[in-house]
Amino acid sequence: MERLIIFDTTLRDGEQSPGASMTREEKLRIAKQLERLRVDVIEAGFAASSNGDFEAVRAIANAIKDSTVCSLARANDRDIGRAAEALAGSDNKRIHTFIATSPLHMEKKLRMSPEQVFEQAKLAVRFARQFTDNVEFSPEDGYRSEADFLCRVLEAVIKEGATTINIPDTVGYAVPELYGEFIRSLRERIPNSDQAVWSVHCHNDLGMAVANSLAGVKIGGARQVECTVNGLGERAGNTSLEEVVMAVKTRRDYFGLEVGIETQQIIPASKLVSGITGFVVQPNKAVVGANAFAHASGIHQDGVLKARETYEIMRAEDVGWHANKIVLGKLSGRNAFKQRVQELGIPVDSESEMNAAFAKFKDLADRKAEIFDEDIQALFSDESVTPHDEHFKLLSLSQHSETGERPHAKVVLSIGNQEVAAESDGNGPVDASLKAIESRVGSGSELLLYSVNAITSGTESQGEVTVRLARAGRIVNGVGADPDIVAASAKAYLSALNKLYSDVERLNPQTSLAP
Ligand code: KIV
Ligand code: ZN
């Protein structure tokens, strides 16, 4: 059976989502999880976009052994040279170079003639081939490009040695049948098309990224899908890795293709990406949403109990969900905790990280009788476990709300080494608490997003809060979890403030680049 190559771009295209920027260490953690997931290609970043992203690509190229590591590069010598330098430590590397080919992008963005773009594309691939024989070429906005011109460019870059040809639907404009036909006709018209692997790269602006990618595979004959964990990506996101993988596996009868993905690593990957980026997964999201395998209606529950295939087309365990069981409690010791963390496949980089997580677990177990796997996973998404510099820390919080009265909150924080108290009224207890914090910190940031999600079911669940802040062109996300959602909100706000004030570089390839 033919194999479908899974190319993950969570660390490059996914990271372009507002606030999803990651530190080098966070990128490395995700890359290691992607390797455990056995993705074929990891697009680690865009080496020329900043020194920080260069270092992240380099660290990933040096650490990852089982997946190909790739860097994006514009079609010019400097970008390609930087990509090659960052990837030098890898035995299994790819350079991915791109230039826009649609009339709109060439004229308005690049201000180049089609002839200039044609020449630059060829030169770029020729130059990239000096560093590796694994070169991918993308005509940006390819789906809105003029077919005759695209055929000329693609034939020429294959002649120059491009081994993968990717057709991006950069703006999410495609519909499945037309996108599939477009790729098929390119492959039919280009005489040397069989010398490259064809790839799909879709954005989800019309909610069709996965459908378009699969049509590119089925109708167009593409054998590589570019995708991200949880469908993370700018605007409405990219093609979701887990949906493509499970569609191809579950409907093997239809697609007739194999994927090399270790599917039980899907949920750990989803949780890691969501925890690090602060992009919470919607509960009804296919495969990785909290409700994806929950049967609420009586008829469905009855059917599943009698024969699970009545209403289930995939097994929750196969994608890494564990039954919602009580695993640990107040009396559990460090060894039991450590063992469960290992069973859940949570990567822990240092003893100090494990110690911090265990201290948090003890604190949680004092307040919550039943600790579920999801609670343990949340301990590790909580920023204070990972070694961020915690300039702002919540020491205590109290708030009062009563029907007919304006809620009031008091907080005690540590700011650096100083302990400070503040209080404020607000529209609700969360508003009052965040205003109290802000009255002390004075960040002047704008709150772009506030969302609460229950980690497990039931009212005793912990609340997981995401806060997105913007200041002076910088956007960051903070995450906090606690059985008390007001405290979770304060923690999330402080975690976002810690990122805003931290001098650890947060990477965000492409955002600051001219074409
Ligand atoms: O969407 C796009 O066009 C891209 C390319 C750089 C591959 O991400
Ligand atoms: Zn893209």
Side-chain angles (χ1 to χ4, degrees), residues 33-34 36-38 241-242 245-246 249 259-271 287-288 315-322 342-346 377:
Q33 178 57 28
L34 292 173
R36 275 189 284 272
L37 185 60
R38 305 199 72 76
L241 178 147
E242 58 281 357
V245 167
M246 291 318 289
K249 276 192 96 89
V259 282
I261 296 294
E262 183 66 47
T263 58
Q264 292 188 349
Q265 292 296 331
I266 285 178
I267 294 299
S270 164
K271 290 194 184 289
V287 185
V288 294
R315 289 164 11 123
E317 310 84 281
D318 290 348
V319 297
W321 285 109
H322 297 273
Q342 278 161 356
E343 282 164 7
L344 288 171
I346 300 172
Q377 263 143 349

Side-chain angles (χ1 to χ4, degrees), residues 162-180:
T163 43
T164 301
I165 296 294
N166 181 43
I167 305 298
D169 175 24
T170 304
V171 291
Y173 181 69
V175 291
E177 210 179 335
L178 298 182
Y179 183 66

Side-chain angles (χ1 to χ4, degrees), residues 427-472:
N427 285 341
V430 170
D431 187 44
S433 306
L434 301 200
K435 281 192 170 127
I437 296 173
E438 185 59 23
S439 73
R440 271 303 186 167
V441 175
S443 75
S445 55
E446 186 191 351
L447 181 70
L448 298 184
L449 174 120
Y450 169 81
S451 84
V452 192
N453 188 35
I455 289 178
T456 50
S457 52
T459 50
E460 72 284 3
S461 163
Q462 286 200 84
E464 187 172 51
V465 174
T466 302
V467 161
R468 184 173 305 152
L469 298 180
R471 194 180 66 158

Side-chain angles (χ1 to χ4, degrees), residues 19 26 274-278 360 381-386 388-394 413 434 437 441 464-469 474-481 487-502 506:
E26 288 167 342
S274 145
I276 285 178
T277 60
K360 290 205 154 264
S381 350
D382 189 332
E383 308 278 327
S384 52
V385 170
T386 48
H388 278 302
D389 93 49
E390 270 203 292
H391 185 64
F392 304 106
K393 214 169 173 174
L394 181 68
L413 310 174
L434 301 200
I437 296 173
V441 175
E464 187 172 51
V465 174
T466 302
V467 161
R468 184 173 305 152
L469 298 180
R474 227 170 137 206
I475 301 178
V476 293
N477 288 335
V479 184
S489 306
K491 286 182 186 174
Y493 192 66
L494 290 167
S495 118
L497 287 175
N498 276 323
K499 287 183 184 172
L500 265 191
Y501 282 81
S502 160
R506 304 200 77 78

